[in-house]
Amino acid sequence: MDVRTTLVRLREAARRTVRDAGLPSGPPLRPTRRAWQFDALVALALGIATVYYGIDNVDNVVLREIAPGVEAVVARPTGPGGLALMVTLAVIASGALALRRRYPLAVLCVVTAATLATPQSVMRLTFYAFVIAVYSAAVYSPYRVATLAALPVSVVLVGTSGNSVTPIVPNEYIALLILVPMAVAAVGLRTWKLRTDEGRTRLSALEREQAEALRRAVEHERARIARELHDVVTHNVSVMIIQAGAARKIMKTSPEQAGEALLAVEAGGRAAMTELRHVMGLLTMADENEGTDSGTDLAPQPGLDQLETLVGRVRDTGLPVDLTVTGAPRPLPPGLELAAYRVVQEALTNTVKHASGATAAVTVEYGPQRLRVEVTDTGGHPGTGTGSGRGLIGLRERLAVHDGTLTTGDRLTGGYRVEALIPLETP
């Protein structure tokens, strides 16, 4: 039973190996233009050298020592047929090296076949191309399993064939065999250093970009918080200031009305605190494991259903406000309702601050495809308050989230008009 299990496992391992042999371990190399040019130059130089070698050695007969004191005559290919054979082998083996980075395994197979077909007496025709092909397959092939299998097979075939005699290097080329590897190693070291420096530069640039993106995100968040706090505080504090000033003026003559004004101040302060608590609560959410007191629960963000309360607080300041709702009210996304509520709040706050003695009108129109919110006033005496314009900028950004638009400007009949148009999903 154990033997059968072992055989099954070995068979499965063999299947996986065969299957994985055809799967690349990574994407194929995409040589650069400079790499293509270099490989083409290597193939051309080696091709010229080997073709010249073949032409120069046709019809030659050499003596080679096969044992101490024993020499044998080694005949090289002769005649036009021999010359054509050597030139063809040299061209195929050398020319294939132009594709050694893009198709390393295919180049290895072609060069190995050419090397096996090369006569023993002229092994220099293809031997050097074979060495380069083996190196290229080991370095550039994405098919690692197939490469690990092909390399030893190619070496063994070439080494055990009848053409296994290693070409003899003439003495005048010994210096080249020493200097060329040194030059290649120096170029490789320089290339590695350049790539390392480039990698560090890209990493530093990426870190700077991330830091810049984080800084922009922090600034954006701070601006959003500032806009939110502006919306929450400005309206209620403006109402409180007006109510407190009115109470101060009528404190002695009309204590009851002064008391009502102070109650309005208290109500505005409570509303401001509730909304502030909500905003700050979103920024500092309590741990889920911590208990929450029912008295400090966050109230929901205001929506269109609270416009009547908002308008009532503004009326208490002495500003006459009419509220008109047309169309069939229907539930809307909370964020959209909050944006519409802030439009009315900001517009009425600006009227209280900058148009003393005016009257205002708020119109909310539920259309089939859009929500229209309009706040107008008749104009009045300029107030003492000054604004930075952040309120309207914040409103435009709020509405842009919902693909809405904000239009503001003076009316032809006098006064000011603020209109927001927010598209709605068709029910």
Side-chain angles (χ1 to χ4, degrees), residues 183-228:
V184 172
V187 172
L189 180 62
R190 181 175 180 276
T191 303
W192 172 80
K193 185 177 182 301
L194 291 176
R195 290 181 178 177
T196 302
D197 294 341
E198 291 176 359
R200 291 177 179 174
T201 302
R202 287 195 298 268
L203 181 60
S204 300
L206 180 60
E207 291 177 350
R208 288 194 297 270
E209 290 177 0
Q210 292 178 344
E212 181 65 18
L214 179 60
R215 184 187 64 81
R216 289 196 298 267
V218 171
E219 291 180 353
H220 177 74
E221 185 64 17
R222 288 177 177 175
R224 187 189 68 82
I225 295 172
R227 291 193 300 270
E228 188 71 22

Side-chain angles (χ1 to χ4, degrees), residues 385-424:
T386 59
S388 62
R390 287 186 178 181
L392 295 180
I393 295 175
L395 289 180
R396 286 192 173 89
E397 294 187 6
R398 282 180 180 273
L399 295 174
V401 174
H402 305 283
D403 297 327
T405 59
L406 182 71
T407 304
T408 61
D410 296 328
R411 302 171 63 196
L412 295 177
T413 58
Y416 202 76
R417 173 175 172 269
V418 176
E419 181 186 43
L421 299 177
I422 309 174
L424 303 176

Side-chain angles (χ1 to χ4, degrees), residues 5-93:
T5 303
T6 303
L7 292 176
V8 170
R9 291 179 178 175
L10 290 175
R11 185 166 59 250
E12 292 296 329
R15 289 179 179 175
R16 285 195 300 269
T17 302
V18 173
R19 181 187 62 203
D20 294 341
L23 298 178
S25 58
L29 180 66
R30 302 291 181 182
T32 62
R33 183 178 180 181
R34 181 171 297 182
W36 281 114
Q37 293 174 349
F38 177 79
D39 291 344
L41 183 61
V42 169
L44 180 62
L46 187 60
I48 293 175
T50 52
V51 168
Y52 175 79
Y53 171 79
I55 296 174
D56 188 53
N57 286 272
V58 67
D59 297 329
N60 285 352
V61 177
V62 297
L63 296 176
R64 179 167 295 178
E65 186 177 1
I66 60 177
V70 180
E71 293 183 346
V73 177
V74 179
R76 290 177 174 172
T78 60
L83 177 61
L85 174 63
M86 288 192 294
V87 171
T88 301
L89 292 175
V91 170
I92 291 175

Side-chain angles (χ1 to χ4, degrees), residues 119-324:
Q120 175 182 348
S121 57
V122 287
M123 281 294 291
R124 293 180 191 172
L125 285 173
T126 56
F127 181 78
Y128 303 118
F130 175 74
V131 173
I132 297 175
V134 169
Y135 166 80
S136 302
V139 174
Y140 300 117
S141 176
Y143 300 91
R144 307 311 301 169
V145 176
T147 302
L148 292 176
L151 287 178
V153 171
S154 299
V155 173
V156 169
L157 287 176
V158 173
T160 59
S161 66
N163 305 331
S164 59
V165 179
T166 303
I168 300 174
V169 179
N171 293 334
E172 59 267 25
Y173 297 145
I174 295 298
L176 290 178
L177 291 180
I178 296 175
L179 294 176
V180 169
M182 293 177 61
V184 172
V187 172
L189 180 62
R190 181 175 180 276
T191 303
W192 172 80
K193 185 177 182 301
L194 291 176
R195 290 181 178 177
T196 302
D197 294 341
E198 291 176 359
R200 291 177 179 174
T201 302
R202 287 195 298 268
L203 181 60
S204 300
L206 180 60
E207 291 177 350
R208 288 194 297 270
E209 290 177 0
Q210 292 178 344
E212 181 65 18
L214 179 60
R215 184 187 64 81
R216 289 196 298 267
V218 171
E219 291 180 353
H220 177 74
E221 185 64 17
R222 288 177 177 175
R224 187 189 68 82
I225 295 172
R227 291 193 300 270
E228 188 71 22
L229 292 178
H230 174 275
D231 292 340
V232 168
V233 174
T234 303
H235 171 75
N236 290 291
V237 172
S238 298
V239 172
M240 291 166 61
I241 291 174
I242 293 175
Q243 293 284 10
R248 178 178 56 81
K249 292 179 180 180
I250 63 175
M251 180 69 70
K252 295 181 179 179
T253 58
S254 301
E256 294 182 358
Q257 294 183 3
E260 294 178 357
L262 292 176
L263 289 177
V265 171
E266 181 181 358
R270 291 183 181 279
M273 289 300 298
T274 299
E275 296 188 12
L276 277 174
R277 190 181 299 117
H278 179 83
V279 173
M280 300 308 297
L282 293 178
L283 300 176
T284 56
M285 293 300 293
D287 188 4
E288 293 180 357
N289 296 326
E290 294 180 0
T292 57
D293 187 2
S294 60
T296 60
D297 287 342
L298 299 178
Q301 286 278 40
L304 295 177
D305 58 339
Q306 299 184 30
L307 283 182
E308 187 65 45
T309 303
L310 173 65
V311 170
R313 290 204 302 267
V314 175
R315 287 174 181 153
D316 292 338
T317 66
L319 174 66
V321 182
D322 292 331
L323 175 61
T324 304

